[in-house]
Amino acid sequence: MTTLGSEPTAAEHARRIAGAAREGFLATLAVDPPGTPFGSLVAFVLEPSARPLLCLSDLAEHSRNLSVDSRASLMAVEPNESDHTDGLARGRVTLLGTCHRVPDNDLVGARAAYLAAHPEAFYVDFADFGFYRLHVEQVRWVGGFGAMNWVDADAYASASISAG
């Protein structure tokens, strides 16, 4: 945990990046060709538990992939605050785990949380869309060149999100 005047921990950096992002790159394992990594741009919101909540179409390739193999990762990147910043110097976090449909008894809360972050998401009530939650098991934080670390999932989930 960050103390006054100290640098934020890798877990805190990772949590802040994930919390600030509204889009990320979801990687799943393709059904066809089997086992090939497949990446796609998705919108998400980070729940208070630090788990990403996504709204995905059943027609999308990533949803098809998740129905066969729930392993996935979601990469989020710090916002680009300068046109002169090398993109590879920006902080980023990859959350690894399994991605499952939100249970029926939690759909109302998931819908409200998602729409609070994405009020333009007119598609949330379409019949072919569903809410998914990534259950984070591992975290990889990269703070730019030479700054990186694996972060314990529990440390990430409990990390402070206040400004450091």
Side-chain angles (χ1 to χ4, degrees):
M1 174 171 266
T2 304
T3 58
L4 188 59
S6 68
E7 182 68 22
T9 65
E12 290 168 331
H13 279 297
R15 179 76 183 266
R16 289 181 195 149
I17 292 168
R22 293 293 174 254
E23 294 87 25
F25 297 95
L26 179 66
T28 58
L29 296 172
V31 171
D32 187 24
T36 302
F38 178 84
S40 53
L41 180 64
V42 296
F44 74 95
V45 61
L46 200 66
E47 296 181 302
S49 64
R51 295 178 302 189
L53 177 67
L54 307 94
C55 186
L56 306 176
S57 170
D58 294 337
L59 303 175
E61 197 68 25
H62 47 245
S63 298
R64 181 175 167 222
N65 295 340
L66 289 171
S67 72
V68 174
D69 190 331
S70 65
R71 290 178 295 168
S73 65
L74 180 69
M75 179 183 176
V77 181
E78 275 182 326
N80 188 1
E81 297 176 359
S82 167
D83 291 337
H84 305 292
T85 300
D86 182 341
L88 296 178
R90 291 167 52 199
R92 51 213 179 260
V93 62
T94 303
L95 307 173
L96 300 91
T98 58
C99 194
H100 301 279
R101 276 192 178 267
V102 170
D104 289 345
N105 65 346
D106 196 17
L107 288 176
V108 171
R111 182 182 184 279
Y114 191 85
L115 284 173
H118 299 283
E120 73 290 351
F122 60 90
Y123 49 84
V124 298
D125 294 321
F126 287 4
D128 66 309
F129 275 77
F131 291 100
Y132 289 76
R133 185 174 282 132
L134 180 67
H135 299 271
V136 178
E137 298 168 6
Q138 295 182 337
V139 177
R140 180 66 172 177
W141 164 74
V142 177
F145 295 110
M148 65 201 76
N149 208 341
W150 284 100
V151 175
D152 177 76
D154 291 333
Y156 158 78
S158 64
S160 171
I161 56 173
S162 62

